[in-house]
Amino acid sequence: MDTLVNVAFFVLGLVLVGASLSSAFRTVVMPRAAFDPLTRAIFLGFRSFFVAIANRTRYLDREVVLGAHAPLGLLTMALAWAVGIALGFMLLFAATDDISLGEAAVLAGSSFTTLGFASPESAVHDLLSVIAAVLGLFIVALLISYLPTIYGLFSQREVIVADVSIKSGGTAHGPDLVLHLTRVADTTRLDDMWVDWGHWMIRLGETHTSEPSLNFYRSPRVHRSWLNAATAILDASAIRNTVIAAPFSIRAEMTYRSGVESLASIAHFFFVRPDDAADHYSLLTREDFDGEVERLRHDSVPVVDDIDEAWEEFRKLRQAYEVHVLGLCEMILPP
C-alpha cells in the first residue's frame, strides 16, 4: 500500500480512536458538565426521529414512543463508541502492515471483542491487538458502571417528581402546590418542604448536565415530568414570597435561586432557547394570575392586599426562569 495512504489511514485511525475515547470520558468519567458533540448529536438527532413518529400517534402512544428515545439513544451512544474504536483500529492495522481493509476489519473485530478468532502476524499487530482488547474491556466496564448510575439518578429524581405531583393534587402546578399544603396546615408549614426541594433543584442542575441523557428520560406516569415539577416548585416559591400574606421565607428564596440557576445551566448546556424569547414573558396573563389568587383566597389562604404589586413582583420572578422552561420544553416535549 502506498506510504501516503498508510500515513492517512494511521492518522485517521488515531483520530477515530481518540474521538471515541474522548466522548466516553466526557460522558461517563468526567465528574462535571462537559459538552460532547457526539453525545449531543445522537440524542438531539434521535429526538427528531422520535418526535416525527410521536406526532403521528395518539397521546398515550406518543408518550410510549418518546419514552423509548433516551434508552435507545444511550445504547446508540455506546455502540458509536465501540464502532469508532473498532474502525480506528481497522485503519491502524491496515496502515501498519500489507493487508487489505477486509483483513484489517476482521483483525480489529477479533481484538476489540477479545474473541480471538483472528491472529495477528507481526509484533506491531500484537501490540495493537492488546491495546484494542484493553479498550474493549474498558468500554464494557464503563457501561456496566454507567447504566446503574443513570437509573439510580433517575429513581432519585422521580421521588420528588411524584411528591410534587401528589401534593399538587395529581398534576404538578405551583398554585395547587401552595393550596394543597395550606389546606392541611398554616402557610409556615410550607417552609418545611423548601429544603428538600432546594436540594433536589441543585442535584437536578448537576446530574442533568453531567449526565445529559437524563434530560430525555420520561417519568413512568404519562402526566408527570421533571420539568413540570421543577416549574411548579419555582412557581410555588415565587407565590410564597409575593402573594401569600406571611413573613418572607428565606428558604423559599433559596429554593427559587437554586431552581433558576439549575434550569439555566441545563438550557445553556444544550444551547436551547425559544424563538423570540422576549415575547414569551407574557405567557402567563394577568387574568390567569388574578384567577389563581382568587382561588387561593376562596380557599382561605391568606393573600396580600396589594395584588397589583404582587403581580409585578411575581412577573419579574417568573421572567427569570420562564425563558429556560420554554426552551427546555421545545427540546424534551414534556406532557
Side-chain angles (χ1 to χ4, degrees), residues 120-166:
E121 297 181 355
S122 68
V124 174
H125 281 188
D126 284 336
L127 178 61
L128 290 175
S129 294
V130 171
I131 296 175
V134 170
L135 293 181
L137 294 174
F138 172 72
I139 295 297
V140 172
L142 282 184
L143 293 178
I144 291 174
S145 61
Y146 185 59
L147 293 178
T149 299
I150 286 292
Y151 285 100
L153 294 174
F154 170 78
S155 297
Q156 293 173 19
R157 184 192 76 184
E158 291 303 307
V159 170
I160 296 296
V161 172
D163 178 62
V164 170
S165 297
I166 292 170

Side-chain angles (χ1 to χ4, degrees), residues 265-282:
S265 65
I266 296 172
H268 292 162
F269 181 84
F270 284 98
F271 308 108
V272 293
R273 288 179 65 88
D275 296 331
D276 301 322
D279 296 337
H280 289 282
Y281 288 150
S282 60

Side-chain angles (χ1 to χ4, degrees), residues 180-242:
H180 177 77
L181 293 184
T182 52
R183 278 174 174 171
V184 297
D186 61 280
T187 54
T188 58
R189 180 69 180 273
L190 187 59
D191 287 349
D192 297 336
M193 303 301 303
W194 297 127
V195 174
D196 290 339
W197 290 342
H199 289 167
W200 181 76
M201 284 291 196
I202 293 172
R203 288 195 300 270
L204 195 72
E206 190 278 326
T207 58
H208 284 56
T209 52
S210 59
E211 308 291 351
S213 61
L214 279 173
N215 291 277
F216 302 97
Y217 272 87
R218 305 179 81 81
S219 297
R221 301 290 183 88
V222 295
H223 62 280
R224 294 177 182 172
S225 165
W226 67 267
L227 185 56
N228 292 351
T231 306
I233 291 174
L234 285 169
D235 283 341
S237 62
I239 291 172
R240 171 62 180 81
N241 282 335
T242 59

Side-chain angles (χ1 to χ4, degrees), residues 59-102:
Y59 174 71
L60 292 179
D61 294 334
R62 174 180 180 272
E63 287 300 305
V64 172
V65 171
L66 292 176
H69 169 210
L72 289 179
L74 194 61
L75 293 177
T76 303
M77 183 176 65
L79 181 62
W81 296 337
V83 170
I85 294 174
L87 286 177
F89 273 96
M90 178 192 75
L91 296 175
L92 291 176
F93 279 121
T96 52
D97 203 347
D98 188 18
I99 59 175
S100 66
L101 285 176

